[in-house]
Structure formats: structure tokens, C-alpha cells
């Protein structure tokens, strides 16, 4: 059974390597076999406890809303059976103390309800940093910069080139020019210089767009996974903008590409306990400081994908911001798999055999990521899916859980599926064991998936049954800006705004995953139609060229 499941996750591809330039086989065509590990079909194995967790969230937040209609219905039925004269007669029959007492209880109950319910959190606006054109590189220029540094042999450079060709990354991404230096660039000086460039660039644009003064910000959350200097990046921001002394500042480190949503969750919690406040969330990663100069292929991969980028988001819990806010925060669901050893070590920072520090990418990453995604969307489902979809989903889940046929189908899944494919027929046992896949297009109008790589996005599209249009923002962001880590989902939302796709009432699903292993989701609801920006958007000068084929 274990070998069958492993074979299901592997796919092979014959790659033409061209003509051998030298050696005993010079002049002969050469080929290689590429073996890829696909994302597991995570919708085929749903754990009931995560479904229950989603409903636990739903019930906790909806209990008051469920009781109010019942009380209104009972009161209306009672009052509706009486005439106007009978109502006044009943009121005069009560003495003044009783009436005042009932009125006081009503007012007290209403006050407790409105004071205890969570405050709405609004997204006023956001900004994405766009580096200068002098930092723009094509894939060929990227390889040449790495070659110019003298730190990589031709075999490693060839591996990088093959990775880039299949990555889905285009020829207009941004990297610091320091990667071509023959000297050590993973220094605090280089890290601070890159951090100040991207962070201040994003924040300057944010304060300009929102017209909020830096001293009016009450909460500041900065997340950067690997570069964590002392003083912190949040302290650097406070110093640069001379923010107020009682600001609540936090600096999140080591939390990977999903840290942007974690930072939004932390800012939301802070806004719940601090009324009438603004919160700023900054998400970024330093490319130069994380640059790996060794030859371990599993540690070279991050060099090929990560690019410069930074996002800054302005949140508010002030009720007066309701009218001009862009979005309202609806749900946040966080999933953490670090209790599992494979998940914990799937993305791991360490030194290689030569002593060079870098991020090691495990072969289990795709499978680990699939499990985390499965858990996250299963928990999120009851909060966002229409009731009809939930009924169909749970009917299939119960049938699959309690049917005797599923017990035998799990032990013969590989052989039965192979036989069915060979004979061109569909076995009843596989139909019975296959759960209903909810249609998430009924829950969301827009999707912003972390643009980790082309392969990951393809597997997400296949497993969730999404269209090319649903995946457009993620794919085009990967092509234009590369993997900008935790800020990537904001470049995707900026793409949707530049396309003038967001309308009042639309729901946006942002999902990101990172080391640990973590998978986090955040859901926003558009408060108004977002007009096509003419400035202060990273897509303004190129949006008319997109989408492009990958």
C-alpha cells in the first residue's frame, strides 16, 4: 500500500538535453529522465476533526445571530395577536417600577452584546514596493550575475538554469546587484540596506495613499523570516518615521512565506483590545542576505525563486473608516504542522558540508504542503461554503466513512484504479470512496494563492477544480515579480485591482504556506468597487500586457 501511494505521487518526463559538446559521446543527442513529486490529492482524504473545528469556529461567532431572529419572531407573534387598544391596556396594567426594570435589563443586555462582540477590522489600503529598473533582470542575466560572482561551478549554474526555465518566472523580476559580488554579501550591512530600501519604499507609498500620519499608527507588525537584526526591523521603522512612544510594535521572524497572514492575525487581535486605532503590517524578505553560495542542489533552489519585494497594509477598527475602506476582514484560519517531524524539517535552515548557510528544501515538501492545505481548507469550508455545498460534502463524507466498501477499496486503491483506467470503466468502489469536492468558486470571487512555483500552482488548480481565470493573479505575479515570499499575495491582489476586477461584495481568498510547516488563509470582503489605479500600483505600467502564456 505504501509503495502504491508513493507511485501515485511521482510523474516522469523525458527531457532533451541537446547535443553532447565533449567527451566520448560528443556530437550525440542526450536525454535525461526528470522525476517529479506531485501534491497529494488532499481532497481525497478528509479528516473529520478539522471539519468539526471549522464548525466550532462558526458556532462561536454565530450563536448570537441565531438567537436574535428567534426572539424577534416570538415577540412579533405575541404582539401581532393583540390590537392597539389591548397593547396600551397591557402596558398601563404594569406599574412604573416594573416597566423601568424591564427597560433597564433590555438596555444592559444590548450594551453587553455590542461591547463584547468583535470589532470589525477594515483594510484601508495597501502598497507593494516596486524596485527600480536597474535591479530588473532576465533569466539569462540572473545566471550571468551568479557566474560573475565566481562562487558557483558550471554544474551548479546549469542546474539553476534548468530550474528557472521550468519555474514560471519571467524576465522582469528584481534582485539586488550585490549577488554578483565576489565578496561575502550575507552581512548585516547588506541586509539593513536592502531592508531599508524595500520597507521604506512600501511604507512611503502606503502613507501617501491613506493620508494617515505615521504618528497616528497605534500598532506595528513587521515580519521577515530570516533577516532579524538588533535593533529589530520594527524598531528601524519607528526610528525612521519617528512614531509615537506608546506604539505596540512586534517583529516576527523565522515563520516563512505564510508569516504575512500571521502578522495580519496578530494585528487583528491587537485592534480588538485597542479601540479607534490604526495598525500597519509590513511583510518582506531579504534576497541578498539569504543568498546561498554552495553547491547543494536542495539549497540552491531558493536562490532561483526568491525575488525582491515588500508589502505594507493599513488596518483600522474605527467605525468611521467603514465608508472609505477597501475591504473588511472576514475570517482567518491558521494551520500548523510542526508536531510532525517531516513537516518541521521540510524547509530547514542549516549549513552544508562546506559550511555555507542556506535553506534546505526537502523532497517531502510537496506532500507535506498538500497535507497542510487539506487541513486548512477543511477547517475553512464550514465558514465560507454555501449551505448546499456543505450538505453535499458531508453526505459524501458520511457515505465514505461508514460504507463497508471503503474498507476494501483503501487496500486495493492502486490496483483497482489501474484496472479501471486500462479497461476504460469506472469502478463503483472508487466512486463510493471518493468524497464530494466542494466548489470553492461559490464561496469566493477571487483567489490569491502564494506564488511559490509553477508546479505548485498547477497542482492547486487541479485539486480545487479552479479555472484559468481563478489562477490568473497568482500565475502572473509569479511571472512578473517571482516569489516575493510573504508579500506575494498582496502583489496578486494589486493585480486584481489593476484589472478592475474587484467589485462591491466580492470575497477574496488569500492563502499562503511556509516553513514549519504552516498553511494560513485570510478572507476579505470588498466594501466598494475598486477603481483601476493610475499610480501607486506595481502593475500600472505593464497591466495591459497581461495575462501572458507561461
Amino acid at each position: 500500500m505504501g509503495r502504491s501511494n508513493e507511485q501515485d505521487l511521482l510523474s516522469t518526463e523525458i527531457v532533451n538535453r541537446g547535443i553532447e559538446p565533449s567527451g566520448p559521446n560528443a556530437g550525440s543527442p542526450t536525454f535525461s529522465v526528470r522525476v517529479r513529486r506531485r501534491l497529494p490529492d488532499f481532497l481525497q482524504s478528509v479528516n473529520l476533526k478539522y471539519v468539526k473545528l471549522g464548525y466550532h469556529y462558526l458556532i462561536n461567532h454565530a450563536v448570537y445571530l441565531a438567537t436574535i431572529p428567534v426572539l424577534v419572531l416570538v415577540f412579533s407573534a405575541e404582539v401581532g395577536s393583540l390590537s392597539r387598544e389591548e397593547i396600551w391596556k397591557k402596558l398601563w396594567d404594569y406599574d412604573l417600577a416594573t416597566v423601568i426594570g424591564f427597560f433597564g435589563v433590555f438596555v444592559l443586555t444590548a450594551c453587553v452584546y455590542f461591547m463584547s462582540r468583535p470589532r470589525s477590522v477594515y483594510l484601508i489600503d495597501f502598497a507593494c514596493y516596486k524596485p527600480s529598473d536597474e535591479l530588473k533582470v532576465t533569466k539569462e542575466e540572473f545566471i550571468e550575475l551568479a557566474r560573475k560572482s565566481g562562487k558557483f561551478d558550471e554544474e551548479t549554474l546549469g542546474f539553476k538554469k534548468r530550474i528557472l526555465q521550468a519555474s514560471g518566472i519571467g524576465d522582469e523580476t528584481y534582485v539586488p546587484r550585490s549577488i554578483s559580488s565576489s565578496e561575502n554579501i550575507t552581512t548585516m550591512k547588506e541586509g539593513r540596506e536592502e531592508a531599508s530600501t524595500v520597507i521604506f519604499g512600501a511604507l512611503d507609498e502606503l502613507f501617501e495613499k491613506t493620508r494617515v500620519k505615521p504618528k497616528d499608527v497605534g500598532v506595528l507588525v513587521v515580519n521577515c523570516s530570516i533577516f532579524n537584526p538588533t535593533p529589530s526591523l520594527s524598531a528601524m521603522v519607528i526610528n525612521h518615521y519617528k512614531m509615537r512612544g506608546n506604539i505596540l510594535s512586534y517583529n516576527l521572524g523565522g515563520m516563512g512565506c505564510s508569516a504575512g497572514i500571521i502578522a495580519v492575525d496578530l494585528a487583528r487581535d491587537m485592534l480588538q483590545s485597542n479601540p479607534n486605532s490604526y495598525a500597519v503590517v509590513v511583510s518582506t524578505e531579504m534576497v541578498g542576505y539569504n543568498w546561498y553560495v554552495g553547491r547543494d542542489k536542495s539549497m540552491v533552489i531558493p536562490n532561483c525563486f526568491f525575488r525582491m519585494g515588500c508589502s505594507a497594509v493599513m488596518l483600522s477598527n474605527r467605525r468611521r473608516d467603514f465608508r472609505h475602506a477597501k475591504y473588511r476582514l472576514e475570517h482567518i484560519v491558521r494551520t500548523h504542522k510542526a508536531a510532525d517531524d517531516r513537516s518541521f524539517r521540510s524547509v530547514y535552515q542549516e549549513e552544508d558540508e562546506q559550511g555555507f548557510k542556506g535553506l534546505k528544501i526537502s523532497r517531502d515538501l510537496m506532500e507535506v504542503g498538500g497535507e497542510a492545505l487539506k487541513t486548512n481548507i477543511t477547517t475553512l469550508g464550514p465558514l465560507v461554503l454555501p449551505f448546499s455545498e456543505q450538505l453535499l460534502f458531508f453526505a459524501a463524507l458520511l457515505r465514505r466513512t461508514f460504507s463497508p466498501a471503503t474498507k476494501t477499496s483503501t487496500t486495493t486503491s492502486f490496483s483497482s484504479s489501474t484496472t479501471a483506467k486500462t479497461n476504460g470503466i469506472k469502478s463503483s468502489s472508487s466512486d463510493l470512496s471518493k468524497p464530494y469536492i466542494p466548489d470553492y468558486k461559490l464561496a469566493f470571487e477571487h483567489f490569491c494563492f502564494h506564488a511559490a512555483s509553477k508546479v505548485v500552482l498547477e497542482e492547486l488548480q487541479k485539486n480545487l477544480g479552479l479555472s484559468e481565470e481563478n489562477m490568473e493573479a497568482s500565475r502572473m505575479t509569479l511571472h512578473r515579480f517571482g516569489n516575493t515570499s510573504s508579500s506575494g499575495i498582496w502583489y496578486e491582489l494589486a493585480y486584481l485591482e489593476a484589472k478592475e476586477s474587484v467589485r462591491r461584495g466580492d470575497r477574496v481568498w488569500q492563502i499562503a504556506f511556509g516553513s514549519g510547516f504552516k498553511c494560513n488563509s485570510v478572507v476579505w470582503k470588498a466594501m466598494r468597487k475598486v477603481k483601476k489605479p493610475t499610480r501607486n500600483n506595481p502593475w500600472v505600467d505593464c497591466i495591459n500586457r497581461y495575462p501572458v502564456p507561461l
Side-chain angles (χ1 to χ4, degrees):
M1 178 179 175
R3 288 188 61 184
S4 297
N5 291 338
E6 182 69 18
Q7 292 178 30
D8 285 338
L9 295 177
L10 299 178
S11 64
T12 58
E13 177 185 359
I14 299 177
V15 181
N16 187 347
R17 300 287 294 277
I19 304 299
E20 186 72 23
S22 59
N25 297 321
S28 302
T30 58
F31 300 87
S32 63
V33 178
R34 179 184 296 162
V35 180
R36 289 180 174 175
R37 180 186 291 271
R38 302 192 307 271
L39 275 175
D41 194 358
F42 46 83
L43 285 173
Q44 299 300 314
S45 54
V46 178
N47 196 324
L48 191 58
K49 70 177 182 180
Y50 298 120
V51 179
K52 291 168 64 178
L53 181 60
Y55 273 98
H56 175 71
Y57 291 158
L58 181 64
I59 291 172
N60 280 350
H61 290 83
V63 62
Y64 297 111
L65 296 177
T67 56
I68 289 175
V70 175
L71 294 176
V72 171
L73 184 63
V74 172
F75 178 78
S76 300
E78 178 67 22
V79 174
S81 63
L82 302 175
S83 65
R84 184 180 300 177
E85 292 76 12
E86 289 174 330
I87 293 175
W88 280 108
K89 184 178 179 181
K90 281 185 172 291
L91 288 175
W92 284 110
D93 287 343
Y94 293 105
D95 57 69
L96 183 61
T98 304
V99 172
I100 294 176
F102 275 113
F103 183 74
V105 171
F106 173 78
V107 172
L108 179 62
T109 303
C111 290
V112 170
Y113 167 73
F114 284 108
M115 291 178 65
S116 61
R117 70 173 184 172
R119 295 175 178 270
S120 294
V121 174
Y122 303 105
L123 192 159
I124 306 302
D125 214 330
F126 66 97
C128 297
Y129 175 69
K130 182 183 176 183
S132 60
D133 286 344
E134 64 181 15
L135 301 178
K136 187 185 296 184
V137 295
T138 65
K139 292 190 284 289
E140 290 297 329
E141 289 173 340
F142 179 85
I143 296 298
E144 288 305 314
L145 287 175
R147 178 180 283 113
K148 185 178 179 181
S149 69
K151 299 172 183 176
F152 303 99
D153 57 20
E154 287 302 318
E155 181 182 355
T156 303
L157 291 172
F159 176 74
K160 283 189 174 186
K161 189 172 184 178
R162 293 194 298 272
I163 291 292
L164 282 173
Q165 288 173 344
S167 65
I169 294 176
D171 290 325
E172 293 184 293
T173 58
Y174 303 92
V175 296
R177 289 292 172 176
S178 59
I179 66 172
S180 65
S181 173
S182 59
E183 300 178 357
N184 178 27
I185 66 171
T186 59
T187 63
M188 299 302 290
K189 180 182 178 181
E190 290 287 345
R192 283 195 173 96
E193 183 176 343
E194 184 180 345
S196 60
T197 300
V198 299
I199 292 177
F200 298 156
L203 284 173
D204 287 346
E205 182 178 319
L206 180 70
F207 291 133
E208 180 185 350
K209 292 172 73 172
T210 60
R211 297 181 181 178
V212 174
K213 298 178 181 179
K215 287 191 176 182
D216 292 335
V217 176
V219 179
L220 172 66
V221 184
V222 179
N223 70 268
C224 181
S225 187
I226 294 181
F227 181 62
N228 292 286
T230 300
S232 66
L233 294 177
S234 60
M236 182 183 76
V237 171
I238 294 171
N239 173 262
H240 180 79
Y241 291 100
K242 308 306 177 186
M243 292 177 160
R244 64 196 199 193
N246 63 343
I247 188 172
L248 302 176
S249 66
Y250 301 89
N251 201 93
L252 305 182
M255 307 196 80
C257 299
S258 66
I261 297 179
I262 298 174
V264 171
D265 191 24
L266 176 58
R268 179 188 64 170
D269 290 343
M270 293 300 101
L271 289 175
Q272 292 301 330
S273 57
N274 294 274
N276 298 317
S277 297
Y278 288 114
V280 169
V281 175
V282 180
S283 301
T284 189
E285 192 58 75
M286 301 303 110
V287 175
Y289 188 78
N290 299 335
W291 189 249
Y292 172 68
V293 296
R295 301 180 180 180
D296 189 325
K297 292 182 178 179
S298 64
M299 301 173 79
V300 168
I301 293 175
N303 282 6
C304 301
F305 284 96
F306 286 106
R307 297 293 187 268
M308 292 178 69
C310 179
S311 65
V313 181
M314 180 73 71
L315 303 175
S316 171
N317 61 4
R318 306 192 314 167
R319 289 187 175 90
R320 67 175 74 96
D321 290 328
F322 171 85
R323 293 185 177 181
H324 63 273
K326 279 188 174 181
Y327 306 93
R328 183 177 65 215
L329 179 58
E330 297 289 305
H331 306 288
I332 293 181
V333 174
R334 293 168 54 182
T335 301
H336 209 309
K337 292 287 187 178
D340 174 65
D341 290 340
R342 283 197 316 158
S343 299
F344 179 70
R345 297 190 66 90
S346 59
V347 181
Y348 201 79
Q349 186 182 24
E350 62 182 6
E351 291 82 15
D352 63 9
E353 294 179 352
Q354 298 174 286
F356 295 121
K357 183 175 63 178
L359 283 177
K360 190 178 185 67
I361 306 298
S362 167
R363 293 179 180 272
D364 297 326
L365 180 61
M366 295 289 282
E367 186 176 353
V368 164
E371 289 297 321
L373 282 165
K374 177 190 69 177
T375 301
N376 190 268
I377 66 175
T378 305
T379 306
L380 180 67
L383 300 175
V384 297
L385 287 171
F387 188 64
S388 58
E389 284 295 301
Q390 296 189 43
L391 283 179
L392 292 171
F393 174 76
F394 279 105
L397 179 63
L398 292 174
R399 184 175 72 246
R400 181 172 174 268
T401 302
F402 296 107
S403 173
T406 59
K407 298 179 180 179
T408 58
S409 65
T410 54
T411 59
T412 60
S413 59
F414 181 76
S415 60
S416 63
S417 62
T418 304
T419 305
K421 290 177 182 177
T422 304
N423 297 331
I425 60 175
K426 209 172 189 179
S427 64
S428 59
S429 61
S430 64
D431 287 344
L432 190 61
S433 62
K434 184 176 180 180
Y436 176 77
I437 301 176
D439 187 359
Y440 282 90
K441 296 189 292 294
L442 297 176
F444 308 107
E445 284 73 33
H446 307 288
F447 300 82
C448 298
F449 295 136
H450 171 54
S453 71
K454 180 181 178 181
V455 174
V456 169
L457 294 178
E458 288 174 348
E459 291 296 325
L460 283 170
Q461 178 181 6
K462 182 180 71 174
N463 278 277
L464 293 177
L466 301 177
S467 66
E468 292 293 325
E469 184 180 358
N470 298 143
M471 302 299 297
E472 183 178 312
S474 299
R475 284 202 174 103
M476 296 307 104
T477 297
L478 178 64
H479 180 271
R480 177 62 180 86
F481 293 98
N483 183 346
T484 57
S485 190
S486 55
S487 65
I489 54 177
W490 297 104
Y491 285 84
E492 295 169 22
L493 186 54
Y495 178 87
L496 294 171
E497 292 188 354
K499 282 290 186 181
E500 211 169 0
S501 301
V502 182
R503 293 171 173 80
R504 179 183 175 89
D506 283 1
R507 294 153 298 179
V508 181
W509 181 18
Q510 292 179 316
I511 186 167
F513 40 92
S515 59
F517 194 87
K518 297 179 288 295
C519 177
N520 301 316
S521 290
V522 58
V523 179
W524 304 93
K525 185 174 182 178
M527 306 299 294
R528 55 183 170 88
K529 180 180 179 180
V530 180
K531 297 180 180 180
K532 186 175 182 177
T534 57
R535 56 193 296 269
N536 289 337
N537 183 296
W539 296 92
V540 165
D541 64 342
C542 62
I543 192 62
N544 293 330
R545 294 191 277 113
Y546 285 89
V548 297
L550 299 185

